Amino acid sequence: MSTASTGLPTGRYGRSSDERADRKLKVAAVVLGAALLALVGYFAYHYIVQTQISAQVITFDSTDTTVKAHLEVHKDAGSDGYCTLRSQSADGTEVGRADFHFTGSATRIDKVVTLRTTARGTTAELLGCHSG
């Protein structure tokens, strides 16, 4: 006596519930992967776009009430922005801070800026530059 098979004939009644669940998981993984890729691309784009201005302090000279700093600024043509400069006294106390704006079509700007201080500054520190 032979036993009849209890499975369904192959290809006759569509996919099994396990195959449908596997397909749904694959679709969900593709959608989530695409969303993650788009999110990483978005942050990478904004990180690159917002770094349009860079600068460095070449030299500085201080008196009891001012610090004159020679800044070299590199920026995209036509973009506007500002750099924040601060000075500290010998004991580390901040004695001055100011933003200096840069506009125009030049891509390289050498400028001596004057930072007013409340006491004699011993540093001229560039905190950062931003577009806008």
Side-chain angles (χ1 to χ4, degrees):
M1 222 170 80
S2 67
T3 355
S5 92
T6 58
L8 298 174
T10 305
R12 183 177 249 185
Y13 297 104
R15 295 184 177 155
S16 70
S17 62
D18 287 341
E19 290 173 338
R20 283 190 298 269
D22 287 345
R23 180 171 165 75
K24 287 180 183 178
L25 285 175
K26 287 178 187 176
V27 168
V30 167
V31 169
L32 288 175
L36 180 63
L37 184 63
L39 186 65
V40 168
Y42 173 80
F43 285 118
Y45 173 77
H46 283 283
Y47 176 76
I48 291 170
V49 167
Q50 291 182 0
T51 56
Q52 295 177 350
I53 297 177
S54 65
Q56 62 182 0
V57 175
I58 305 298
T59 61
F60 72 94
D61 184 33
S62 64
T63 66
D64 288 338
T65 59
T66 62
V67 172
K68 291 186 178 186
H70 177 196
L71 291 179
E72 180 181 340
V73 180
H74 296 275
K75 65 181 190 68
D76 292 340
S79 66
D80 297 337
Y82 64 95
C83 293
T84 304
L85 190 70
R86 82 168 176 180
S87 182
Q88 294 176 315
S89 65
D91 65 357
T93 305
E94 184 176 288
V95 293
R97 178 187 294 239
D99 293 332
F100 297 98
H101 296 271
F102 301 98
T103 60
S105 61
T107 59
R108 182 177 176 274
I109 300 170
D110 277 330
K111 187 172 183 180
V112 176
V113 295
T114 302
L115 174 65
R116 294 187 338 175
T117 59
T118 57
R120 185 172 189 88
T122 59
T123 64
E125 181 181 2
L126 182 65
L127 297 179
C129 296
H130 307 280
S131 61

